Amino acid sequence: MKYNQSLSFAEKERICEALFLQEGPFWHLCTDGTKMQNIFTSGTDFDLGMNLLSVSACRKPGVRIVAFELMSNHVHKILCGQKEACMGLFEDFKGRMKRIFRRSGRIIDWESFTAEIIPIEDLRALRNEIIYTHRNAYVSQSSYTPYNYPWGSGIAYFNPLLKSIPAVSFNDLTYDSRRAYAHVRDISRLGALKFHGERAYIPSFCDVSLGESLFNDPRSYFNSLTKNVEAFSEIASRLKDTVFLTDDELYAVASRYSAEEFNVRQLSALSPDQRIRIAKELHFKYNASNQQLRRLLKLDVSLLNEMFIG
């Protein structure tokens, strides 16, 4: 997508606002990983999950996936469409996963794999929810960034190199290959899908162009990936996510708090009482784990376990 650099910030915002109102309603559909065992335990499992999601997207034409991230025990999807249709996409995805995993001998308690769907009321919130979704693997696994996680749409946003990846149309696959990828008898509605290797090609089932168009330009999107900490805090609290900031991001928050409250810029120069105060701030406001607090503030983990049980 090309961006008109001659437009002012206000003009770009008006265009994005109009698009939000025109294309909505938008929803954040997510599942609770704290209640669910691991579903995807290997790259093959993740590829299967993404392929099944791509098929569900085709089978539910009234819903558009704007952004998504598959994690080992939960999923995030930013969806556009009517609420009932969005829930129908999730149920289709879940139902076919249950059948295929059962067929392979995997025993999973699917009763805990339930979705919460939250309305997204304005453009600012929608941008934050997209960014939050794309940061999920990044904050939990140091080997990933929002731009290299294979099982989420972050890798596709504002990435012109993606267009050069060879992708095979679903209709060009052999009949047996189509059945193997889709895991469904009726393949008549899957013509829009493309595949790269064993994995569904993200832009063929996720409306990346719509998601990109909701940001002023690529720079504003990139800038948001590592900022808006307060917004991430609000979303994580609502979704009951346990970790949503990396150690580096928490360090920046702690340093700023230390400078403002104690006029001390180096965390290593803090007194024990000051470290405990910062630990409480990071734990209650930013969901910092005890291990993160141990690493950042050099506090004894037994003390942290006493302060923050669980």
Side-chain angles (χ1 to χ4, degrees), residues 13 20 36 56 80 88 94-95 127 134 136 170 175 180 193 213 218-219 230 285 297:
E13 281 293 285
F20 172 82
M36 189 65 191
S56 292
C80 174
K94 174 182 176 179
R127 288 170 173 168
H134 287 165
N136 240 242
F170 183 79
Y175 180 77
L193 283 182
S213 299
R219 182 169 61 187
E230 298 299 328
K285 191 170 182 180
L297 299 171

Side-chain angles (χ1 to χ4, degrees), residues 40 45-61 63-65 68 70 75 77 79 89-90 92-94 96-97 100 150-152 168-170 173 177-184 186-207:
F40 309 115
D45 286 348
F46 275 103
D47 286 349
L48 171 63
M50 200 156 82
N51 292 348
L52 293 177
L53 178 60
S54 72
V55 172
S56 292
C58 292
R59 284 159 58 92
K60 301 294 179 180
V63 182
R64 282 180 287 173
I65 301 176
F68 73 95
L70 301 185
V75 301
K77 301 173 189 175
L79 304 175
L89 185 149
F90 172 77
D92 185 79
F93 172 64
K94 174 182 176 179
R96 285 182 306 106
M97 279 208 302
I100 293 161
W151 304 290
V168 179
S169 170
F170 183 79
L173 297 171
S177 294
R178 280 181 277 171
R179 290 286 300 273
Y181 279 130
H183 295 276
V184 65
D186 181 8
I187 58 176
S188 60
R189 288 175 284 179
L190 308 184
L193 283 182
K194 294 181 179 180
F195 285 82
H196 173 64
E198 301 296 315
R199 189 181 301 147
Y201 179 63
I202 292 169
S204 71
F205 68 91
C206 176
D207 199 339

